[in-house]
């Protein structure tokens, strides 16, 4: 089990993203993965917009979500500035507050757990904080393998 708290606006999250995707691809049927929102700017809708869009994209079509996620990382800054990217039915004008509420729920959970920086991962009961590459991920998975 891997639970990740991150934000598309986070530089370290963006650096880790391709390596996390590789691990999930390499261990396709062996890892249960959950992404949770941790907005760097929790006080503005603009700061939460890419995360809210991701919640909408997942709900709209989980099978195409992973094709859209790299775009969220690449375009997060322009999304926050209100420059639309045409995310199907999930543009900022079409988002209802329920998606922002889901972002807030994830963030409040993170605060209760004591998470203060991102990316943060919970891997089989072990906390991992910071950017990871392929080698780091392999070591984390090896060290946290259930006995």
């Amino acid at each position: 089990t891997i639970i990740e708290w991150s934000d598309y606006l986070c530089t370290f999250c963006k650096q880790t993203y391709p390596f996390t995707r590789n691990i999930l691809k390499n261990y396709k049927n062996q890892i249960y993965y959950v992404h949770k929102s941790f907005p760097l700017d929790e006080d503005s809708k603009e700061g939460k917009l890419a995360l809210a869009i991701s919640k909408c994209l997942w709900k709209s079509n989980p099978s195409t979500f992973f094709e859209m996620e790299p775009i969220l990382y690449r375009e997060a800054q322009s999304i926050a500035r209100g420059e639309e990217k045409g995310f199907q039915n999930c543009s900022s004008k079409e988002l209802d507050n329920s998606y922002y509420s889901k972002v807030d729920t994830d963030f409040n959970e993170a605060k209760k757990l004591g998470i203060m920086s991102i990316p943060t991962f919970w891997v089989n009961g072990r906390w991992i904080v910071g950017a990871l590459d392929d080698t780091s991920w392999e070591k984390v998975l090896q060290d946290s393998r259930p006995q």
Side-chain angles (χ1 to χ4, degrees):
T1 299
I2 298 173
I3 302 173
E4 174 184 2
W5 284 266
S6 63
D7 186 352
Y8 298 106
L9 290 166
C10 166
T11 302
F12 296 112
C13 302
K14 184 178 181 176
Q15 288 172 351
T16 298
Y17 171 75
F19 303 110
T20 303
R21 285 291 145 235
N22 286 344
I23 288 299
L24 295 175
K25 219 181 301 177
N26 293 343
Y27 294 90
K28 192 173 192 159
N29 297 320
Q30 300 171 50
I31 293 176
Y32 175 73
Y33 173 80
V34 177
H35 178 268
K36 298 214 176 210
S37 303
F38 190 103
L40 292 174
D41 177 5
E42 78 250 31
D43 295 326
S44 74
K45 275 197 166 185
E46 296 81 16
K48 296 186 231 180
L49 182 55
L51 292 164
I53 288 172
S54 76
K55 301 287 187 190
C56 178
L57 290 170
W58 178 261
K59 184 177 181 188
S60 297
N61 193 346
S63 64
T64 61
F65 174 78
F66 291 111
E67 297 167 22
M68 302 301 288
E69 197 171 34
I71 298 167
L72 290 168
Y73 272 108
R74 187 177 63 242
E75 303 294 335
Q77 294 289 336
S78 56
I79 291 168
R81 288 191 303 268
E83 299 169 13
E84 290 300 320
K85 296 298 169 190
F87 290 108
Q88 302 159 16
N89 299 325
C90 297
S91 70
S92 63
K93 293 169 184 63
E94 296 162 346
L95 284 178
D96 63 50
N97 282 332
S98 68
Y99 297 110
Y100 291 99
S101 179
K102 290 176 185 188
V103 171
D104 292 337
T105 297
D106 286 355
F107 184 66
N108 289 331
E109 176 189 44
K111 289 192 297 188
K112 286 179 186 171
L113 291 169
I115 296 170
M116 298 184 339
S117 63
I118 52 174
T120 292
F121 302 89
W122 186 86
V123 183
N124 292 329
R126 183 173 171 212
W127 291 104
I128 308 296
V129 179
L132 301 170
D133 60 16
D134 281 330
T135 304
S136 301
W137 260 123
E138 287 295 342
K139 179 153 180 38
V140 165
L141 291 177
Q142 182 180 27
D143 291 348
S144 65
R145 188 167 293 153
Q147 301 299 324

